[in-house]
Amino acid sequence: MVSPELEFEAAVVEEKGGPFRIRTVGVSGPRPDEVVVRVVATGVCQTDAHSRNQEYPVPLPVILGHEGAGIVESVGAAVRDVVPGDHVGLTFPSCGHCRSCRAGAPANCEHGFGLSFGAARLDGSNAYAGSGVHGHFFGQSSFARYAIANERNTVRLPDDLPLTLAGPLGCGMQTGAGAVINSLHVGAGESIAVFGTGAVGLAAVMAAKAVGATTIAAVDVNDARLALAEELGATHLINGKKENTGERLRKIRPGGFGYVLEITALPAMLALAVEVLAPMGVAALIGGAPAGTKAPIDMNSLLNGGRTVRGIAQGDSRPQTFIPALAELYRSGRFPFDRLVRAYDFAEINQAFEDAARGDVIKPVLVMGE
Ligand SMILES: [Zn+2]
Ligand SMILES: [Zn+2]
């Protein structure tokens, strides 16, 4: 066996739902289009938890993590966008060659699911194979001190954006903000309801406020999250456990909402999203439901009034331009996503997941260290 070019600690999930165990793994060197990143910090996203629980078919044992931020350590011979020493954020992978990628829609890449959850490169190879673990999760496997990314999912960041904060821009933050800004083009004076105020929903609330939406209704079952949603720009708060969400929304906007973002992934909530839309309104599904989930949408509510239901992946982000734009928005004070973040040492990864699952923390960030 060829000896690995780089050895480092990684948090490995060995069995379904099992704990993260810190192990030393080795990887072969970067391919011409790859970038080796020393991970400074990485966000924890719901999708990591779903993958650990095998709700997505990720091969085990695996190194998860897909909101990495760090410093470029080395680059393959063909890499042009970044050089060693650059501060970078890592984001979702895309192939660059399919119809969606060529159309400028990498978030809908035909190979996106395989590249994200297959825990291998597009050609099926795995730089971590010598260590008996799967890597390349979302093209990064950032729950580790180093990540092997592709140039396509490596985004250069401004030096003054703290790397201990930046990671979530690569998934959760761009997913919520991108839905509002890139996908739905929510405009000044418009109305939006956000179902689910976790990290993605709160990013959507901040973005809706930033673009000038004047009615921003936040729906959740957690009062602490709703209180934060209000501080970040929500104009109306609805606790779905304590009151009838549909009735409240109809009272707030008797003519219906221009937009609804559905992030809870509950079929009844997607059906309700359509019910509370204004004519010509758009209900956008962002929350990932278990495979095979169906929603009981009233067909005539769609037909009459020309309403739309659509899905949105990764906020239709073109990461190389949208992530720097979000960084600018943060710098200007209009996207204060640091309010969602709580830092943990890398060694506290299991605690971070427990706290997030209980809803105590909205966006854990694991810090490997500068
Ligand atoms: Zn994510
Ligand atoms: Zn593609």
Side-chain angles (χ1 to χ4, degrees), residues 104-370:
N108 295 323
C109 173
E110 289 172 20
H111 301 287
F113 191 86
L115 281 169
S116 294
F117 297 102
R121 296 185 181 99
L122 199 52
D123 66 3
S125 66
N126 170 19
Y128 305 71
S131 297
V133 297
H134 298 274
H136 306 285
F137 180 72
F138 270 76
Q140 52 180 289
S141 286
S142 60
F143 291 162
R145 294 196 182 273
Y146 286 86
I148 314 292
N150 189 282
E151 183 176 28
R152 287 186 57 78
N153 69 316
T154 303
V155 179
R156 197 139 59 87
L157 297 173
D159 283 347
D160 64 342
L161 181 70
L163 287 169
T164 48
L165 179 64
L169 293 177
C171 182
M173 295 301 99
Q174 74 180 354
T175 294
V180 169
I181 296 170
N182 301 326
S183 315
L184 300 176
H185 307 288
V186 176
E190 294 197 303
S191 58
I192 182 169
V194 178
F195 292 0
T197 53
V200 171
L202 291 171
V205 166
M206 288 187 280
K209 183 184 179 194
V211 300
T214 42
T215 302
I216 305 170
V219 179
D220 205 294
V221 294
N222 179 323
D223 282 328
R225 288 183 182 208
L226 288 170
L228 183 54
E230 184 172 34
E231 289 176 34
L232 296 174
T235 58
H236 299 78
L237 310 177
I238 301 167
N239 185 324
K241 244 192 214 161
K242 298 178 181 169
E243 48 195 331
N244 184 310
T245 302
E247 276 177 20
R248 265 298 302 284
L249 289 169
R250 284 185 199 98
K251 209 170 278 176
I252 294 165
R253 295 283 300 183
F257 282 77
Y259 307 93
V260 179
L261 288 188
E262 206 310 278
I263 313 169
T264 69
L266 299 171
M269 292 304 281
L270 183 58
L272 179 64
V274 175
E275 295 301 309
V276 299
L277 281 181
M280 311 286 285
V282 183
L285 175 64
I286 299 181
T293 305
K294 305 228 178 355
I297 292 169
D298 183 79
M299 291 169 71
N300 286 314
S301 296
L302 274 187
L303 179 64
N304 302 321
R307 295 172 178 85
T308 299
V309 179
R310 60 162 296 189
I312 301 172
Q314 292 286 346
D316 283 322
S317 176
R318 293 173 181 146
Q320 303 293 350
T321 51
F322 190 56
I323 288 175
L326 288 178
E328 277 301 313
L329 213 51
Y330 166 72
R331 201 201 312 253
S332 76
R334 283 179 283 180
F335 192 67
F337 72 103
D338 55 315
R339 299 283 310 277
L340 318 185
V341 167
R342 184 191 292 177
Y344 293 79
D345 283 339
F346 183 32
E348 299 174 309
I349 181 170
N350 289 299
Q351 187 66 49
F353 271 76
E354 279 172 36
D355 292 353
R358 270 200 312 273
D360 294 350
V361 178
I362 291 166
K363 176 55 75 178
V365 169
L366 306 173
V367 179
M368 283 70 177
E370 301 279 351

Side-chain angles (χ1 to χ4, degrees), residues 45 47 66-67 171-172 314:
C45 176
T47 303
H66 65 284
E67 289 185 343
C171 182
Q314 292 286 346

Side-chain angles (χ1 to χ4, degrees), residues 10-151:
V12 178
V13 174
E14 283 160 2
E15 73 261 354
K16 177 180 175 177
F20 293 91
R21 293 201 174 91
I22 309 276
R23 275 178 51 184
T24 298
V25 300
V27 294
S28 47
R31 292 197 170 172
D33 58 351
E34 288 180 335
V35 180
V36 178
V37 176
R38 183 164 63 78
V39 180
V40 170
T42 179
V44 167
C45 176
Q46 280 275 320
T47 303
D48 296 307
H50 292 319
S51 300
R52 173 166 76 154
N53 295 334
Q54 296 283 284
E55 288 162 49
Y56 298 116
V58 179
L60 299 174
V62 70
I63 305 166
L64 300 172
H66 65 284
E67 289 185 343
I71 298 169
V72 174
E73 179 85 4
S74 63
V75 298
V79 170
R80 294 286 172 269
D81 282 353
V82 294
V83 297
D86 278 351
H87 286 199
V88 293
L90 302 178
T91 186
F92 63 87
S94 58
C95 77
H97 305 294
C98 72
R99 187 181 163 89
S100 300
C101 284
R102 286 187 188 280
N108 295 323
C109 173
E110 289 172 20
H111 301 287
F113 191 86
L115 281 169
S116 294
F117 297 102
R121 296 185 181 99
L122 199 52
D123 66 3
S125 66
N126 170 19
Y128 305 71
S131 297
V133 297
H134 298 274
H136 306 285
F137 180 72
F138 270 76
Q140 52 180 289
S141 286
S142 60
F143 291 162
R145 294 196 182 273
Y146 286 86
I148 314 292
N150 189 282
E151 183 176 28

